[in-house]
Every structure is written in C-alpha cells, then in structure tokens.
Amino acid sequence: FQDNRAMNSLEYLIANTHTLSDASIMDALAALTSSPNLGNHEEEYDMEVNSDDEMKIDLSALINPSVFNALQLPIGTGRFPNPSPPRPNSGTNTPIRKTPGSRPDRGKFTILDGTEVAGPEEVLNVDFNSDILQKIFCDPKLGIQFLARYGLIPNTRVCRVQDCPKDQLMSLIKHANGFVWRCRSCRKRREKRIITKISVYEGTFLFYSRMPLNKFFIFMLIWCENPGLSITEYNRLMGENRLVEETIYNTIGFMRDIIQNWCDTIIASNVPIGGPHRIVEVVETLSTEQLSNKTRNRRTRHYTTRTVFVSLADDKIKSVDFPLHNVHDLERALLECVQPGSIVVMRDSYMERFGQQEEISNALFNHYKVKSICDVWPDFNEQERSKQFIKTEMNQVPNVNQEPYAYEYFFRRCFSDKCFNHLLRVIRLLYQK
C-alpha cells in the first residue's frame, strides 16, 4: 500500500509540475522520501551492477590456458597456426633488450645461404643441359642462387648513397618483379629522390634483358653447341621455349659482343703474334662499335670492318681497325701484328683482293710467306682440321658476310669443349673488371 502511494505521488508530481505551487511540490517530495522501500530498491540496483563475481569467474575460465589445451585441433590445418607452448616463468622480469643495439639486425644480406661463391674455373666442372637449366631458372630463388654461386651476379650489395654509412649492406627482399636489394638506412630516412631498391641484376649482363632466364640460358647453351644453325633449326631445338626471329638475332649479337669484348680487353696480344714457320690466318670481319651491355637490338648496333690475325699454333689473336684494300695495306697490317718469318694464310677468295698469289708473295718476300688454306691443308692435323671446319659450319648462316663472326670463330677454336661453360666464365671475368 505504501509502495502504491509513493508511485501515485510520483505520477501526480510529474503530470502537474507546471500547475503546482512551491509548497505543494515540497509536500510531494517529502512523501516520496518517507517511503521505506525506495532505499531498498537503490541498494538492490547497486548490487546488481557492482557485484560482478560471476562475470569474473566466466572470464577466468576463458583466459585459463587449460581451456585451450583441452581443445583438440587438427595439426597443420585451420586458418590460424597452433598456439605455441607456454614459456617457463623464471620469476624475474628479464628485459627484452639489455643494452641498446644488442638485437641483431633483421634481414638477409647475402643470396647464398652458407655457401661460398665459386672460383672462376669451377663452372667448367659442371655438366649443363637444357633440362638442368630449365629446373634451375623455373624457381626464381634457385635461379639467383645459381647466378650468385658462379659469380654472374653479386652475392652481396653495398649501398652507394653518399649519406649511408660506409660499407652499409643492403637487404635481399622479395619484390613483385623478383628479388631486389633494399637499403634500410635510406628507407628509414624517407628522403625523396633516393632509390632505396635496386635489382639483383643491376650492373650485370642480365640487367637489360627482357627474356625469361630459362629461355635465355637454354638458347645460349644451344647456340654454343650448334654453330651456324638457321632460325628454324634453333627453334626446333628450343622446343616449347621457342623464340621469335628478332629475339634470336639480338641474343646472338649480344653473345658475339661479349666474345669481342673478351678478345679486345683480356685475350688480345700486346705484341706481334706468330713467329718463324708458324701459321697466322688472316680473316676480315665486321665488329661492333662502342660495345655496351645496353645495346641489345641489332638495329641500333653500328658495325665497322676489321682485319683479324689468328695464330693457329697457340690460339693468339690480334687485329687492326682499318680495312685492307691492296697489298700495301696488307703489308702495313702484317708488320703491326705479325712477327717476321711467319706463314700467312688466307682464303683464295680473300687473296684475290690483293692480286695473284705470286705477286703477293713477291711483295712480302722479305718478311713473310703467303699461302692459301688449300696449300697448307695437308699439313694440318685432325684437331686443326676440326677447328677449320667451324668456319664451314658458320658460313651456312644466311648473309654471313653481314655478320661479325671472326671473334666467334676464334672463341670456338679455343673452347671447342664445354663452350657454354667457358662463355659463363668469360662473362664473369668481364663484369668483375
């Protein structure tokens, strides 16, 4: 009854607040406060909100490790990995970092994992074939590890930005376009116009190549083992990795540029070649001007005529940069490149440019003997005849006179066995200079 009275007083007060006098409002409030059960309702409300013992029990059950241990999850499946076992509590709060800088730098600073870079000659011991190259370069990580192993790309990279610390190693990371080197110091500075990432092929012969690596190296292998093939024959040997005609011409031109660069900078003799009774062959050829690994398209190559002299006994090479039009030019070039007393040989078709063989012999009688390849062929052994046959195979290529083939011929003479391995070694030597 008292509760009803109190509620009626409250309703009356709310409904008639604007018509009641101040004295009436005070009487209504006094009647409400005199109700004995109002305080009990407030106490019950406080207990309901503030007494969360049961909620604490539920939370303790959720965070108890035994609850997770009781769950049976299939190993290796599910969206999330299995929880790691709890760490033992030592009873002391061990700091994560005892001293500043004690945490090792995160990142991978080498391509090879626990393997040293092989020496330049070790690549000669590998037996390559198309299947092996396909398996190597189908995996991007395995591909760069192979290239780093044999020195074709750097195993580590130092940042060359001036503001970086000296000998600051760059980290190897996976990028959308493959693996790249990234400098953490440059990245933290967040300065504009600073390149923080560079390709692992930066500064190598592969940097400007757009071909997939498996096709590039497989074609290089086929070209080294099969001189003088046509485009159709090369694509037949390439199988599913066949290339368009323009790509084949550009790749062959690039490899010839590598060989020419090797002949000019590493193997070329600084003194006249040949000697008394030694045979020196004269070959006229085209050569590429301004060799650069940026020049891949044969349309942008510029050729000039050279005369190359090859000592057959010891495989030495020397050349002159001017064409030979008459016997006086021939004598001038021979005196510059060939020792007196040597036997100078050339093809009959090339000899006709300077006149009859007897006339040439009389003009050079004081210094050299002049003969054709046919004259000295009976004196060649089987090994030398096989080397001479390389020119016959190379001459089967259409428009051979418009191709710089003399340096390729010399390279194949020197490395008839494992030509591909030697080409990889030559590339490494060139780009380490």
Side-chain angles (χ1 to χ4, degrees), residues 397-408:
V397 179
N399 303 321
V400 66
N401 295 328
Q402 302 176 13
E403 300 289 339
Y405 77 96
Y407 292 103
E408 177 189 345

Side-chain angles (χ1 to χ4, degrees), residues 34-288:
S34 62
S35 176
N37 295 332
L38 183 61
N40 295 334
H41 284 291
E42 292 178 353
E43 293 176 0
E44 292 175 2
Y45 179 78
D46 290 340
M47 290 293 293
E48 184 179 352
V49 174
N50 298 327
S51 179
D52 56 354
D53 293 338
E54 294 182 359
M55 184 177 292
K56 290 180 180 178
I57 294 174
D58 294 338
L59 290 176
S60 64
L62 290 177
I63 64 176
N64 190 353
S66 61
V67 176
F68 292 102
N69 296 335
L71 296 177
Q72 298 296 329
L73 296 178
I75 300 176
T77 61
R79 184 176 178 182
F80 301 101
N82 295 335
S84 57
R87 297 180 179 179
N89 188 6
S90 60
T92 59
N93 296 326
T94 304
I96 297 177
R97 300 179 62 183
K98 296 181 180 179
T99 57
S102 63
R103 181 178 180 178
D105 293 334
R106 291 179 297 176
K108 182 176 174 61
F109 303 104
T110 60
I111 296 177
L112 299 176
D113 297 326
T115 306
E116 296 182 356
V117 178
E121 306 298 326
E122 290 188 41
V123 71
L124 303 180
N125 301 325
V126 183
D127 294 324
F128 290 105
N129 56 52
S130 299
D131 294 336
I132 291 177
L133 294 175
Q134 181 71 20
K135 292 178 181 178
I136 290 175
F137 292 105
C138 278
D139 184 353
K141 183 178 180 180
L142 184 59
I144 65 170
Q145 287 179 342
F146 166 81
L147 296 173
R149 165 65 177 165
Y150 293 106
L152 300 176
I153 62 174
N155 185 38
T156 60
R157 178 77 69 169
V158 176
C159 184
R160 298 181 180 179
V161 177
Q162 185 176 2
D163 295 335
C164 268
K166 185 179 180 182
D167 299 331
Q168 172 69 41
L169 290 178
M170 306 183 76
S171 301
L172 181 69
I173 64 172
K174 184 69 179 295
H175 193 260
N177 297 327
F179 289 91
V180 297
W181 296 107
R182 183 177 66 185
C183 180
R184 298 177 62 193
S185 299
C186 293
R187 184 169 177 264
K188 289 179 180 179
R189 288 199 301 269
R190 300 183 181 276
E191 298 180 8
K192 295 182 178 179
R193 298 181 180 180
I194 293 182
I195 300 176
T196 61
K197 294 190 289 288
I198 59 175
S199 170
V200 293
Y201 307 115
E202 174 85 19
T204 70
F205 70 107
L206 295 170
F207 184 62
Y208 294 96
S209 177
R210 298 180 180 178
M211 290 177 58
L213 292 183
N214 60 327
K215 291 187 177 183
F216 180 82
F217 282 95
I218 289 175
F219 179 77
M220 183 188 296
L221 174 66
I222 293 175
W223 179 80
C224 288
E225 295 178 348
N226 304 275
L229 295 186
S230 64
I231 302 298
T232 303
E233 291 171 325
Y234 277 129
N235 273 328
R236 179 179 59 82
L237 295 176
M238 290 287 291
E240 61 182 9
N241 296 316
R242 58 185 296 118
L243 303 170
V244 298
E245 179 178 351
E246 188 72 14
T247 302
I248 290 179
Y249 275 122
N250 292 338
T251 307
I252 292 176
F254 165 73
M255 289 185 287
R256 284 175 173 168
D257 290 348
I258 290 288
I259 294 173
Q260 178 184 332
N261 195 6
W262 171 71
C263 291
D264 291 342
T265 60
I266 296 180
I267 203 68
S269 177
N270 297 324
V271 296
I273 61 176
H277 308 292
R278 290 194 172 186
I279 299 177
V280 176
E281 183 177 4
V282 185
V283 182
E284 187 180 56
T285 184
L286 297 178
S287 61
T288 306

Side-chain angles (χ1 to χ4, degrees), residues 268-422:
S269 177
N270 297 324
V271 296
I273 61 176
H277 308 292
R278 290 194 172 186
I279 299 177
V280 176
E281 183 177 4
V282 185
V283 182
E284 187 180 56
T285 184
L286 297 178
S287 61
T288 306
E289 291 183 327
Q290 299 178 353
L291 289 173
S292 173
N293 58 353
K294 297 181 181 181
T295 305
R296 290 298 183 90
N297 196 324
R298 64 173 178 166
R299 296 174 182 173
T300 61
R301 282 188 174 90
H302 301 283
Y303 296 122
T304 183
T305 303
R306 279 187 179 183
T307 305
V308 177
F309 302 90
V310 179
S311 178
L312 304 185
D314 49 7
D315 286 329
K316 292 184 178 180
I317 189 172
K318 199 169 178 62
S319 62
V320 292
D321 293 332
F322 53 87
L324 309 183
H325 300 290
N326 50 54
V327 68
H328 299 290
D329 294 336
L330 176 61
E331 183 178 12
R332 171 191 167 193
L334 287 172
L335 292 175
E336 181 179 338
C337 298
V338 181
Q339 295 184 23
S342 302
I343 302 174
V344 179
V345 299
M346 62 189 79
R347 288 186 172 183
D348 295 335
S349 57
Y350 184 60
M351 187 181 296
E352 293 176 357
R353 176 184 301 184
F354 310 108
Q356 298 295 325
Q357 180 175 348
E358 185 177 356
E359 297 174 356
I360 301 172
S361 299
N362 293 333
L364 304 176
F365 177 76
N366 294 331
H367 303 288
Y368 308 101
K369 293 181 179 181
V370 179
K371 296 183 179 182
S372 67
I373 296 291
C374 296
D375 296 334
V376 296
W377 185 264
D379 300 330
F380 287 158
N381 54 26
E382 290 297 328
Q383 182 179 6
E384 180 57 37
R385 291 182 180 182
S386 299
K387 292 181 178 180
Q388 290 292 324
F389 186 69
I390 296 175
K391 291 183 295 183
T392 305
E393 293 179 320
M394 296 175 60
N395 285 335
Q396 297 176 2
V397 179
N399 303 321
V400 66
N401 295 328
Q402 302 176 13
E403 300 289 339
Y405 77 96
Y407 292 103
E408 177 189 345
Y409 159 65
F410 174 75
F411 184 81
R412 294 182 183 277
R413 280 185 57 92
C414 296
F415 309 119
S416 56
D417 185 32
K418 291 191 174 182
C419 183
F420 174 73
N421 302 54
H422 284 280

